[in-house]
Amino acid sequence: MTDAREPAGRTGDPPARRAPGTPCWVSLMVRGLAATQAFYAELFDWEFRPGPQQLGPYVRALLGGREVAGIGQLPPDRHLPVAWTPYLASDDVDRTAATVRSCGGTIGVGPLDAAEAGRMAIGSDPAGAVFGIWQAVAHAGTTLTGVPGTPAWNELMTYATTGVATFYEYVFGHTRDAPVSADHDYVTLRVGGRPVAGIHGVGSALPRDRGPHWVTYFEAADVDASVERLIDLGGHVLRPVRDGSRGRVAMVADPEGARFALLQRPALGSGRSGSDRSGVRHWEDVR
């Protein structure tokens, strides 16, 4: 999850596809594309270049020339929540979309081709949380991780893990760890034994204005400084900076209300480890 991958297609070879079920991209649909680009350019030092336009104006965010995320323009007649959406890899997006429907989820967009980049769909799980499905062709997804401004983790906030976790297991082939404890409803999803995402059941504590939703964590070199910068840029703090066993984290929102988290990992040699004895990253500890 923290490895820095080579840019897709750098050598002219087809990009390496992620294993099915692996989060491979995050995308944000907003009303003010130019203003949102300016916000994230200042916050994360992102630069931008045009991406596929099948769903309207869309740009890819880059760090050092390497793609890390996407931002698109919401159609003016679509009144949808502004939110970061993780895309999960698939070898056959049409088959995955059909499985989503058969397991009680819905497909709201696609499947459709995104130019030469790949094939995609956007759906929601039975509880209503929105996610994307990505079948790579020329674009494998995020090509840089482990540095400030890159996605670090994706976590589903939902009413309860029971049922929803089974949906992701069946649709994407995830395996899951048992809940952390009887009074803490959290499971970790794995692909090939590697932790790739978390599901946190919070019951009535789920924000009423959002319902079940995915949260993307972005790396920060200094989360306190990043929060100050975010506020100066017009963003909002939803949950102040706090220390957890896996680092310092703050839950924030951009000026349009898109929620995300800033995560500052412990420095190497600090005595903290990213995993417990079983190798499970307990990301709920940094919430």
Side-chain angles (χ1 to χ4, degrees), residues 28-123:
L28 173 65
M29 299 298 288
V30 298
R31 297 178 182 88
L33 182 56
T36 300
Q37 286 180 248
F39 171 84
Y40 286 100
E42 290 292 330
L43 182 64
F44 290 142
D45 295 324
W46 286 352
E47 298 178 337
F48 299 91
R49 70 181 177 203
Q53 308 291 304
Q54 275 70 17
L55 299 179
Y58 189 84
V59 295
R60 290 176 180 163
L62 295 86
L63 269 175
R66 301 174 72 171
E67 297 172 342
V68 296
I71 303 177
Q73 176 93 46
L74 277 170
D77 59 340
R78 298 291 295 275
H79 301 286
L80 300 173
V82 174
W84 281 101
T85 301
Y87 279 71
L88 306 181
S90 170
D91 288 338
D92 185 334
V93 69
D94 294 82
R95 182 175 60 193
T96 301
T99 306
V100 167
R101 294 188 182 100
S102 69
C103 291
T106 60
I107 296 295
V109 177
L112 55 84
D113 291 327
E116 75 287 349
R119 191 162 172 79
M120 61 159 287
I122 300 175

Side-chain angles (χ1 to χ4, degrees), residues 1-3 5 18-19 22-23 153 174-175 188-197 279:
M1 183 171 61
T2 59
D3 57 313
R5 300 181 177 89
R18 309 299 205 281
T22 305
W153 185 248
H174 293 131
T175 58
T188 300
L189 299 178
R190 292 176 176 265
V191 171
R194 183 171 61 91
V196 296

